[in-house]
Amino acid sequence: MSERRDLASASSTRIADPAISYRSTNEWRPERVAQLIDKLSPVTDSPDIIEKIYEATLDPAALERTMEHWVASIERELAASSDGESLDAATERHLQLGFQLLEQYDQNLAALTDGTAVHMRKDGTLIDVSPAADALYSVGIGDSVRDLPIDEASLDSVCRWLQEQTTTPTTAHRVVFARRQDREVSVLLWLSSLTSTVFRLSSSEVLWQPEVGALLEASFDLSPSEIEIVQLLIEGYGIEQVAEVRSRSLHTVRTQLREVYSKTGISSFPELLRLIVGLTAAQELDRAPGQRAIHNPPNSYPRKSQRRLLTLPDGRILDYSEFGAQGGIPVLFLHDEICGDAWTASGVDAAIERNLRIIAPLRPNYGRTDPPLAGSNRPTEQLVQDVFYLLDKLGIGRVVLLSRVIGSTLGSCLVEDAPERVLAFVAVAPALPTGPEHYRDMDPLTRTMVRAVTNTPALARFLVRTRYAYFNRYGYDRYLATHYPDTRDQRLLGKADVRDAIALGAAATGAKRYQGFLGDIEGRKPDSAAVAKILRMPTRFVIGEFDRKGRRARAESVIAAGANAQLIVLPDASELLFFSHTDAILDVLVDLVREAS
């Protein structure tokens, strides 16, 4: 057991604050992890593998840093196992525990990322920053609370409160009404203690919007004079200044303010602020510069108005979108797990030029689509039925399939179930069956993932969960930098329209998309012959010249097994070829439709 205790001690050096063990409460101290590990028996651990499991659990970035070593450890154990197809039972139990810890980590993290919040130590050092806070205030981990663009008097109040908690704690909560220094905006700050050493500052900018007055009048029957008083207070005027601006006595203004409190059912100015914040916070978040790509990027599709919900016969909901050329050739677009169903505006223009009507359903656990029915042992078959029900409702008989990465698994299932309804199939960077002969051309993470999908489900689940924990904790900027390291993809990510589209797709697919991805990989066909048997209609596999996932060899194996398919390799392209070569891909699709017709 000493190796595991050494692991806990070593892990603590990688955590920003051991008191909260990465980002949450005392439940996640390294000592707590060690206690959980100690409960597992019998003690037949493989130290190299176990260490890496908990390194990645405590800090998902470790998955990338230590993958080569971990791959070697796993492959040694797989080679030593009697059947060559599974890890030992103790290792699988550790993987399952790591999966559970990641689940609980992200549940705690969600409490931080919902809003403009920072976590800080007693000295004001920021140890965690939500994406919205970063967007609004341009601060990061390691900065000081005094780096917030807030007036000095208010920051002094925050620091005094922190000092009070350090010496003789008085209250676990405080509200501070502040002003931004960089523009004339009022800010409401909520201070709270998470632990004896970690404190949270949540903030909301309070702007007076024209619709707020109408809402106050309609909801609480406030008079124009009472609404004007509220507006002046929200804009930072003191009650004496309100009286001066309105040419009224202080007594009259106070009487009117008491009437406002009575009508709205509140009893203090902070409560009044909370009421106004509740009416304006959503609009303010949409205005945050760093959030535009997630909420409403101007050059990305599908637009919000193009997203729709369909109630399925069993009562579940299917989330889908429709864009492109109205009345054009129906193209069923099957999304991937990272970029979701997003297209750039130029890509949609290209589809319209080619008279293509894009219909893009989101699979279960992505977006607002409900999960499969409880107890269903054939969720993929259920999904196929859902998609054809959608097409029936849209009055579409035959379609062309266009898939991106893991979306090809659903495409294969659709073809298998109703080949007469699929005119042709274009699979971009497809996820195809893999054999040992394909490993040579894969990067370590892909090789481990593909092997795990086939042989060790517990490892596959853990790797998928860790990857999405990385995304949730570090944001899509850092995630994309590690997931798409090729210089061509990095140049592409430097383009605003591509970055906006990926951000939109990531937001649309939702925080729980890893569950959808697990369902996707479980629905994959076992070997190249099984896929080849299905693909009897004209099919094109499109990959990038610099693909490092072994896709070329896998596609060639499916073609060699008898599929009615051809391989197209696009020059100067890597993982993100759908965005860099949209025109070329759609030309392939149009040519294939002509051939199939």
Side-chain angles (χ1 to χ4, degrees):
M1 200 65 67
S2 60
E3 295 93 345
R4 287 179 282 179
R5 293 196 181 281
D6 290 343
L7 160 65
S9 299
S11 298
S12 66
T13 63
R14 289 185 291 273
I15 299 170
D17 191 331
I20 58 168
S21 181
Y22 192 67
R23 323 188 158 237
S24 190
T25 65
N26 290 332
E27 283 299 304
W28 307 114
R29 291 194 305 266
E31 303 94 300
R32 172 62 173 159
V33 174
Q35 292 169 8
L36 291 169
I37 297 171
D38 286 344
K39 294 180 180 179
L40 296 174
S41 62
V43 183
T44 58
D45 301 338
S46 302
D48 286 345
I49 299 175
I50 303 304
E51 177 182 353
K52 300 308 175 188
I53 290 172
Y54 292 103
E55 280 187 4
T57 300
L58 292 168
D59 180 3
L63 183 63
E64 299 287 344
R65 295 196 302 264
T66 64
M67 183 52 66
E68 288 285 2
H69 174 79
W70 198 10
V71 166
S73 299
I74 290 171
E75 292 188 345
R76 283 198 303 271
E77 181 166 348
L78 288 171
S81 63
S82 59
D83 57 7
E85 294 186 348
S86 64
L87 300 170
D88 66 62
T91 300
E92 292 212 10
R93 285 199 297 273
H94 284 291
L95 288 167
Q96 290 165 2
L97 177 59
F99 185 97
Q100 294 166 6
L101 292 173
L102 287 166
E103 280 283 274
Q104 295 181 54
Y105 275 157
D106 280 352
Q107 289 175 13
N108 291 332
L109 178 61
L112 171 67
T113 56
D114 289 341
T116 49
V118 299
H119 284 178
M120 54 192 172
R121 294 194 184 101
K122 295 176 182 179
D123 63 0
T125 300
L126 305 185
I127 58 175
D128 215 339
V129 179
S130 75
D134 181 20
L136 283 172
Y137 302 130
S138 299
V139 293
I141 295 173
D143 291 341
S144 169
V145 68
R146 287 196 175 274
D147 292 322
L148 291 169
I150 303 298
D151 68 275
E152 286 296 325
S154 299
L155 291 176
D156 288 343
S157 297
V158 171
C159 292
R160 281 197 302 272
W161 180 82
L162 287 172
Q163 187 60 35
E164 290 171 3
Q165 308 311 303
T166 302
T167 54
T168 55
T170 55
T171 176
H173 305 278
R174 179 169 297 177
V175 176
V176 176
F177 185 56
R179 300 283 292 176
R180 287 196 65 150
Q181 290 179 317
D182 50 350
R183 59 179 188 265
E184 291 299 312
V185 177
S186 299
V187 182
L188 190 62
L189 307 178
W190 285 278
L191 299 168
S192 59
S193 298
L194 297 181
T195 71
S196 60
T197 59
V198 180
F199 309 93
R200 175 187 174 104
L201 184 152
S202 301
S203 64
S204 292
E205 291 192 356
V206 187
L207 295 184
W208 185 264
Q209 305 294 339
E211 61 268 23
V212 172
L215 286 171
L216 288 173
E217 180 181 8
S219 302
F220 304 106
D221 196 29
L222 296 192
S223 68
S225 295
E226 291 164 347
I227 292 171
E228 184 181 358
I229 289 174
V230 172
Q231 178 178 350
L232 290 170
L233 290 172
I234 294 301
E235 290 176 347
Y237 290 85
I239 194 167
E240 292 86 358
Q241 293 172 303
V242 172
E244 182 178 347
V245 168
R246 300 195 67 250
S247 300
R248 298 290 187 273
S249 69
L250 190 58
H251 173 74
T252 298
V253 172
R254 284 175 172 162
T255 299
Q256 290 176 311
L257 184 57
R258 283 196 294 270
E259 186 65 17
V260 169
Y261 287 174
S262 175
K263 289 182 178 180
T264 56
I266 61 178
S267 58
S268 66
F269 183 63
E271 290 182 30
L272 178 62
L273 283 172
R274 289 187 181 95
L275 174 65
I276 304 304
V277 166
L279 298 173
T280 61
Q283 294 96 318
E284 265 314 290
L285 189 57
D286 283 341
R287 293 186 183 87
Q291 297 293 307
R292 285 180 188 151
I294 295 177
H295 289 279
N296 190 27
N299 297 313
S300 302
Y301 285 80
R303 310 301 295 165
K304 185 176 180 180
S305 61
Q306 295 166 335
R307 296 191 183 278
R308 303 182 177 98
L309 298 177
L310 174 68
T311 302
L312 299 166
D314 57 20
R316 291 177 300 114
I317 297 298
L318 178 68
D319 192 349
Y320 76 99
S321 57
E322 190 174 356
F323 49 94
Q326 292 185 358
I329 300 168
V331 176
L332 191 66
F333 178 64
L334 309 173
H335 65 86
D336 66 3
E337 77 282 9
I338 297 174
C339 304
D341 59 351
W343 288 51
T344 60
S346 60
V348 174
D349 289 342
I352 293 173
E353 289 172 6
R354 292 159 177 80
N355 193 35
L356 302 177
R357 174 189 179 188
I358 309 301
I359 299 113
L362 290 174
R363 297 189 293 282
N365 290 305
Y366 291 96
R368 298 171 293 177
T369 296
D370 285 334
L373 288 175
S376 173
N377 60 0
R378 302 194 69 183
T380 303
E381 182 178 284
Q382 187 180 83
L383 174 57
V384 168
Q385 295 171 355
D386 296 343
V387 171
F388 283 127
Y389 180 79
L390 167 64
L391 295 178
D392 290 341
K393 283 292 184 180
L394 296 176
I396 296 172
R398 302 183 75 193
V399 295
V400 181
L401 302 184
L402 173 61
S403 70
R404 192 162 64 194
V405 196
I406 197 68
S408 61
T409 61
L410 174 58
S412 298
C413 295
L414 290 168
V415 171
E416 182 179 26
D417 192 75
E420 73 282 357
R421 299 195 66 172
V422 179
L423 182 65
F425 188 5
V426 175
V428 180
L432 296 171
T434 307
E437 68 274 15
H438 304 136
Y439 292 158
R440 182 186 62 185
D441 297 327
M442 295 180 183
D443 62 73
L445 178 58
T446 302
R447 183 170 67 248
T448 306
M449 172 62 74
V450 169
R451 186 165 186 170
V453 168
T454 304
N455 300 325
T456 52
L459 177 59
R461 282 169 51 83
F462 181 78
L463 290 174
V464 170
R465 191 66 189 85
T466 306
R467 185 169 70 168
Y468 283 105
Y470 187 101
F471 181 94
N472 291 338
R473 296 182 193 185
Y474 298 120
Y476 79 95
D477 281 337
R478 184 166 163 183
Y479 179 86
L480 295 178
T482 59
H483 193 80
Y484 299 111
D486 188 272
T487 55
R488 297 157 192 81
D489 288 339
Q490 288 300 305
R491 286 198 301 269
L492 196 62
L493 290 170
K495 297 182 177 181
D497 60 338
V498 174
R499 292 176 59 80
D500 280 357
I502 294 176
L504 174 70
T509 53
K512 288 291 186 180
R513 59 192 168 275
Y514 75 89
Q515 295 177 340
F517 183 57
L518 287 171
D520 293 335
I521 61 178
E522 290 169 1
R524 295 173 72 185
K525 300 301 176 184
D527 53 46
S528 298
V531 175
K533 184 178 179 180
I534 295 168
L535 298 181
R536 295 308 182 191
M537 76 291 301
T539 302
R540 297 291 182 269
F541 299 132
V542 184
I543 67 169
E545 176 186 6
F546 296 95
D547 180 272
R548 289 294 296 166
K549 306 293 186 183
R551 293 192 179 99
R552 179 167 188 159
R554 288 189 271 172
E556 289 172 343
S557 294
V558 173
I559 295 170
N564 181 16
Q566 295 179 18
L567 173 63
I568 296 176
V569 180
L570 296 181
D572 197 29
S574 186
E575 292 290 299
L576 294 173
L577 71 160
F578 187 89
F579 296 101
S580 61
H581 292 65
T582 309
D583 286 277
I585 290 169
L586 295 184
D587 283 340
V588 168
L589 188 148
V590 171
D591 290 343
L592 193 59
V593 169
R594 292 196 187 103
E595 175 188 322
S597 301

